[in-house]
Amino acid sequence: MAALVEPVLLEIARTCTFKKKKPDEGTGARRIGCERCGKARLHRDHLGTPPSLNALVSSNVHALRAQKDAWQRALLSELRASDLGPTDRVMAEGECCFGTQQRRDGGNHRVLLEKALGDALTEGGYLVDDDWNRYEFGRLTQTYKKGEAWTRVMLFPG
């Protein structure tokens, strides 16, 4: 009989809302980083919920790649801190908490999260490949809590 494998919870929570730095007063040169914490826009502390695909597609392919990579790094960090070991298959479900009540198209947020998690699972050696036979992302729900932004993903290895 195979050993029972427990579900694993991953959580990415925004701890700082990114605020663009004002240009240098003397030279007018652009200043990089967050006015509040000094960290880069895509630092894990600024991630809470995946951005909408609509916003990324309307900018450029480099912005899409940068966001996917930032989420992949954050998820890989969570995976490494978890008890998950190599497995044959993973089913994932998630919840995104948004700090505002605006209407959203779930698929636009889901695509980046699903892709980044699959790539993190393979990069970390948890899955041999993130093909459909080994990795599926099921339900993604949304919730509202004023001012909060976080994403929780429950992994069901098997």
Side-chain angles (χ1 to χ4, degrees), residues 37-56:
C37 69
K39 297 174 184 166
R41 176 183 298 273
L42 293 179
H43 186 275
R44 180 194 172 120
D45 290 353
H46 297 130
L47 303 179
T49 54
S52 171
L53 184 62
N54 287 343
L56 295 173

Side-chain angles (χ1 to χ4, degrees), residues 89-96 106-107 109-111 113-115 117-118 121 132 134-142 152-156:
R89 181 167 169 64
V90 171
M91 170 67 176
E93 293 188 344
E95 178 182 21
C96 293
H109 297 275
R110 172 196 179 92
V111 67
L113 179 61
E114 183 175 344
K115 179 66 177 146
L117 178 58
L121 286 163
W132 212 338
R134 293 181 179 93
Y135 169 63
E136 284 189 70
F137 200 108
R139 188 170 183 211
L140 181 65
T141 62
Q142 70 168 329
R152 293 180 181 143
V153 179
M154 185 65 79
L155 304 180
F156 301 94

Side-chain angles (χ1 to χ4, degrees), residues 16-146:
C16 178
T17 303
F18 182 83
K19 181 177 180 183
K20 185 177 179 178
K21 287 184 178 179
K22 295 177 181 158
D24 182 89
E25 290 182 20
T27 65
R30 190 174 119 205
R31 294 172 50 219
I32 307 263
C34 176
E35 188 70 43
R36 293 181 176 100
C37 69
K39 297 174 184 166
R41 176 183 298 273
L42 293 179
H43 186 275
R44 180 194 172 120
D45 290 353
H46 297 130
L47 303 179
T49 54
S52 171
L53 184 62
N54 287 343
L56 295 173
V57 170
S58 66
S59 56
N60 65 50
V61 71
H62 300 293
L64 176 60
R65 170 59 89 183
Q67 281 283 348
K68 199 280 289 183
D69 289 347
W71 277 89
Q72 183 176 334
R73 283 190 306 273
L75 290 163
L76 185 56
S77 175
E78 286 293 306
L79 285 164
R80 288 180 174 148
S82 78
D83 292 332
L84 185 66
T87 185
D88 293 330
R89 181 167 169 64
V90 171
M91 170 67 176
E93 293 188 344
E95 178 182 21
C96 293
C97 176
F98 295 94
T100 63
Q101 290 183 320
Q102 76 184 54
R103 290 175 37 201
R104 291 179 171 81
D105 177 339
N108 287 331
H109 297 275
R110 172 196 179 92
V111 67
L112 187 122
L113 179 61
E114 183 175 344
K115 179 66 177 146
L117 178 58
D119 289 350
L121 286 163
T122 56
E123 180 183 342
Y126 302 96
L127 288 176
V128 173
D129 192 8
D130 61 347
D131 64 48
W132 212 338
N133 293 321
R134 293 181 179 93
Y135 169 63
E136 284 189 70
F137 200 108
R139 188 170 183 211
L140 181 65
T141 62
Q142 70 168 329
T143 191
Y144 163 74
K145 290 187 182 172
K146 186 174 182 168

